[in-house]
């Protein structure tokens, strides 16, 4: 792994599952997901951003950020919005050839959608100790009892992803 990539991963270097490591495209897409998270925060939403891209080409096919407050929709998580946009754009619900980059470890609902959409790879930033369903509390995306398993790379830009979330909730508590 080159020095730039190691620096971008932060102190909590990627805890790769199944020997996967982030590519430069993964880091680039996490930067975009962070931009989407910051846009969500500016609208009063929990700052989570997600990007779906074709793994081989890097072509973005779906993006999303949290919209639960704006849409009054409990399912309007960044991952749902990005995955639905990708499936619509591709014209197929099967996203085997795609990677999902998201700033926060997916919750059980989103992890289930990732499996059901047959997403090929997942890269995420910050771990979620309260609802993480990829590695922290549950391991839904790699559960061998399910009909699809996802390659996972955790910890991409984890420190920056966590800082954006912490700042948002700190400001919210102050108000």
């Amino acid at each position: 792994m080159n020095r730039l990539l190691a620096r971008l991963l932060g102190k909590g270097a990627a805890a790769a599952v199944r020997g996967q490591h982030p590519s430069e495209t993964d880091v680039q897409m996490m930067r975009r997901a962070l931009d989407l998270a910051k846009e969500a925060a500016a609208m009063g939403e929990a700052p989570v951003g997600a990007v779906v891209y074709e793994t081989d080409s890097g072509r973005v096919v779906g993006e999303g950020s949290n919209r639960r407050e704006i849409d009054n929709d409990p399912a309007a998580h960044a991952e749902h919005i990005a995955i639905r946009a990708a499936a619509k754009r591709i014209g197929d619900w099967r996203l085997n050839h795609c990677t999902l980059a998201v700033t926060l470890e997916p919750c059980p609902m989103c992890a289930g959608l990732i499996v059901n959409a047959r997403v090929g790879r997942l890269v995420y930033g910050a771990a979620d100790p309260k609802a993480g369903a990829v590695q922290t509390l549950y391991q839904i995306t790699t559960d061998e009892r399910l009909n699809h398993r996802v390659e996972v790379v955790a910890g991409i830009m984890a420190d920056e992803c966590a800082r954006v979330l912490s700042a948002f909730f700190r400001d919210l508590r102050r108000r």
Side-chain angles (χ1 to χ4, degrees), residues 17-107:
V17 172
R18 296 177 186 240
Q20 296 299 311
H21 297 285
S23 68
E24 290 184 28
T25 302
D26 295 335
V27 174
Q28 179 183 18
M29 295 302 167
M30 186 59 73
R31 281 194 192 114
R32 175 63 185 144
L34 269 165
D35 289 343
L36 292 165
K38 291 171 186 174
E39 290 172 17
M43 296 185 296
E45 292 285 350
V48 178
V51 178
V52 177
Y53 55 98
E54 293 177 333
T55 303
D56 291 341
S57 70
R59 179 177 75 113
V60 173
V61 292
E63 293 184 335
S65 60
N66 276 5
R67 296 186 52 90
R68 292 190 323 169
E69 300 297 331
I70 292 167
D71 295 346
N72 292 312
D73 180 356
H77 288 205
E79 300 95 323
H80 270 246
I81 294 164
I83 287 170
R84 292 181 75 193
K88 185 172 185 174
R89 182 165 186 190
I90 291 169
D92 190 353
W93 61 270
R94 296 168 195 87
L95 303 177
N96 311 63
H97 65 293
C98 294
T99 297
L100 169 65
V102 62
T103 57
L104 180 65
E105 179 181 6
C107 71

Side-chain angles (χ1 to χ4, degrees), residues 93-163:
W93 61 270
R94 296 168 195 87
L95 303 177
N96 311 63
H97 65 293
C98 294
T99 297
L100 169 65
V102 62
T103 57
L104 180 65
E105 179 181 6
C107 71
M109 176 181 69
C110 293
L113 178 62
I114 290 164
V115 170
N116 282 306
R118 309 293 194 271
V119 173
R121 291 179 73 240
L122 168 67
V123 296
Y124 71 88
D128 186 350
K130 293 185 178 181
V134 176
Q135 291 180 326
T136 305
L137 298 178
Y138 307 101
Q139 294 79 41
I140 293 172
T141 58
T142 56
D143 191 319
E144 293 185 5
R145 296 169 296 180
L146 299 175
N147 63 339
H148 178 74
R149 281 161 297 290
V150 181
E151 294 176 10
V152 176
V153 181
I156 295 180
M157 301 177 72
D159 294 339
E160 186 172 348
C161 293
R163 273 194 301 275

